């Protein structure tokens, strides 16, 4: 049940084929896990209050996954206890014209939180080495020949490096980043797509284009594996979490978030002694009204 086996911080290589999508092999008891998740949510909410009061570090939680892996519902459940003032959620879709006219980290950097706050990235800078690579979108960029004319390998090696440096830069500026890949199986995705098709209230979540992406499954798996291996570091680790059972995924996500918050160890600021003295006087003043 330990998070460690799902954690990639550059000390071991990810072989995605060997990573479980079905968490039942962990032998966890569902009732117990639901209880633990609830307790984790409470601790996350408490630590988030402290993080805000402390204001020394900022936290980015980043979610990547194939369609229907449960990004949205994970966000909803794991972070539900948090004070909405302390967290912002950003979904990175296909870039707009304005975004495409800038460097790829431009839109990401704008969503880095103020220290003391949390940003949740639903998709992220990694789309630029995932969907872009799978669909060769880089070749159609309106950029100088020296950029678009490079062999793909070189182009993406550079992007991995830019992402590594960006994340290191954030770490050196008092941020932490938790990167999560929800690893769903192709069979489970099919099941969830069918549910989206069959249940009218879920129709809106489905688009026929999702099946075109599904056809490219193997290419995506390779792109994910390469991206994780190129960007997993101690300061910005990846968690490759089994995503076929949502209740267990939520538990693991809550553990990963807690791990980062505990490392930050935020503290309520201590009031200076002279201010504290004033408190006693204020109390007296109120009581004598
Ligand atoms: P949902 O669960 O609601 O489907 P979603 O995150 O899949 O959520 P969509 O609007 O369906 O949201 O998809 C967003 C699309 O934008 C994805 O296909 C994603 O790959 C694409 N996208 C995100 N960033 C980039 C990028 N930098 N370049 C090209 N495409 C991108
Ligand atoms: Mg989608």
């Amino acid at each position: 049940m330990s998070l460690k086996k799902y954690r990639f911080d550059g000390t071991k290589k990810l072989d995605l084929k060997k990573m479980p999508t079905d968490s039942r092999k962990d032998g966890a008891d569902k009732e117990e896990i639901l209880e633990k998740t609830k307790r984790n949510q409470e601790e996350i909410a408490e630590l988030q209050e402290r993080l805000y009061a402390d204001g020394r570090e900022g936290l980015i939680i980043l979610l990547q996954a194939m369609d229907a892996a449960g990004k949205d519902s994970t966000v909803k459940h794991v972070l539900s206890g948090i004070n909405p003032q302390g967290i912002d959620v950003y979904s990175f879709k296909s870039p707009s014209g304005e975004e495409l006219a800038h460097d790829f980290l431009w839109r990401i950097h704008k969503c880095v939180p103020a220290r003391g706050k949390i940003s949740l990235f639903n998709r992220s800078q990694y789309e630029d080495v995932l969907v872009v690579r799978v669909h060769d979108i880089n070749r159609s960029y309106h950029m100088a020949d020296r950029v678009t004319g490079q062999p793909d390998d070189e182009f993406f090696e550079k992007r991995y490096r830019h992402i590594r440096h960006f994340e290191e830069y954030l770490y050196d500026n008092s941020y932490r980043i938790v990167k999560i890949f929800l690893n769903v199986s192709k069979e489970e995705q099919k099941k969830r797509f069918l549910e989206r098709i069959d249940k009218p209230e879920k129709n809106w979540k489905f688009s026929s284009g999702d099946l075109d992406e599904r056809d490219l499954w193997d290419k995506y798996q390779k792109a994910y594996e390469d991206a994780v291996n190129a960007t997993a570091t101690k300061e910005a680790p990846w968690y490759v979490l089994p995503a076929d059972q949502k209740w267990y995924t939520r538990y693991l996500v809550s553990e990963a978030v807690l791990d980062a918050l505990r490392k930050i160890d935020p503290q309520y600021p201590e009031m200076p002694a002279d201010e504290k003295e004033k408190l006693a006087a204020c109390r007296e003043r109120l009581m004598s009204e």
Side-chain angles (χ1 to χ4, degrees), residues 25-37:
K25 287 174 200 125
D26 273 15
D29 174 68
K30 187 169 175 181
E31 285 311 309
E32 194 186 313
I33 290 295
L34 290 178
E35 190 49 44
K36 279 188 173 173
T37 309

Side-chain angles (χ1 to χ4, degrees), residues 55-79:
R56 259 185 307 179
E57 290 202 56
L59 176 64
I60 295 170
I61 305 162
L62 170 166
L63 287 182
Q64 283 290 156
M66 296 298 284
D67 284 306
K71 285 186 279 103
D72 287 338
S73 73
T74 303
V75 175
K76 197 165 86 185
H77 282 83
V78 177
L79 305 171

Side-chain angles (χ1 to χ4, degrees), residues 66-68 71 93 123 193 196 205-207 210 213:
M66 296 298 284
D67 284 306
K71 285 186 279 103
K93 309 272 180 185
R123 301 187 187 270
F193 277 166
R196 289 178 177 190
K205 284 192 177 183
F206 185 75
S207 93
D210 292 349
E213 297 312 297

Side-chain angles (χ1 to χ4, degrees), residues 12 19 21 42 61 82 150 163 167 172-173 190 243 269:
K12 60 182 178 196
M19 292 304 286
T21 56
E42 286 163 10
I61 305 162
I82 288 190
Q150 301 174 90
I163 292 176
E167 292 174 358
D172 289 344
N173 278 275
K190 182 174 178 176

Side-chain angles (χ1 to χ4, degrees), residues 146-274:
R146 69 169 188 284
V147 183
T148 50
Q150 301 174 90
D152 282 349
D153 283 357
E154 268 174 46
F155 180 86
F156 288 106
E157 279 306 324
K158 284 183 189 163
R159 279 211 162 166
Y160 296 142
R161 195 176 77 220
H162 300 146
I163 292 176
R164 274 199 309 272
H165 286 176
F166 176 62
E167 292 174 358
E168 188 188 339
Y169 169 83
L170 290 178
Y171 186 78
D172 289 344
N173 278 275
S174 207
Y175 288 91
R176 284 184 196 257
I177 177 162
V178 176
K179 305 183 290 192
I180 295 169
F181 172 51
L182 301 181
N183 186 20
V184 76
S185 68
K186 205 173 174 189
E187 300 76 66
E188 181 63 23
Q189 189 197 50
K190 182 174 178 176
K191 231 173 86 190
R192 294 185 191 173
F193 277 166
L194 286 172
E195 215 179 314
R196 289 178 177 190
I197 291 169
D198 294 339
K199 292 193 176 159
E201 73 277 15
K202 290 203 170 176
N203 284 172
W204 66 275
K205 284 192 177 183
F206 185 75
S207 93
S208 58
D210 292 349
L211 295 188
D212 300 330
E213 297 312 297
R214 178 177 165 81
D215 286 342
L216 297 166
W217 187 273
D218 292 343
K219 275 183 113 178
Y220 270 107
Q221 294 290 105
K222 167 93 175 98
Y224 267 107
E225 190 176 272
D226 290 350
V228 169
N229 281 326
T231 60
T233 63
K234 277 217 157 53
E235 293 74 29
W238 271 103
Y239 293 94
V240 178
L241 304 181
D244 284 358
Q245 287 83 27
K246 287 190 174 185
W247 55 273
Y248 197 71
T249 312
R250 287 170 194 159
Y251 164 70
L252 290 172
V253 171
S254 71
E255 284 280 301
V257 171
L258 257 187
D259 182 74
L261 284 168
R262 285 182 186 141
K263 281 185 179 133
I264 293 175
D265 190 22
Q267 303 294 329
Y268 286 116
E270 178 93 51
M271 213 178 228
D274 53 336

Side-chain angles (χ1 to χ4, degrees), residues 126-137 213 220 223:
Y126 286 95
E127 289 295 319
D128 292 282
V129 291
L130 294 165
V131 63
V132 172
R133 183 174 162 197
V134 167
H135 287 277
D136 300 317
I137 299 173
E213 297 312 297
Y220 270 107

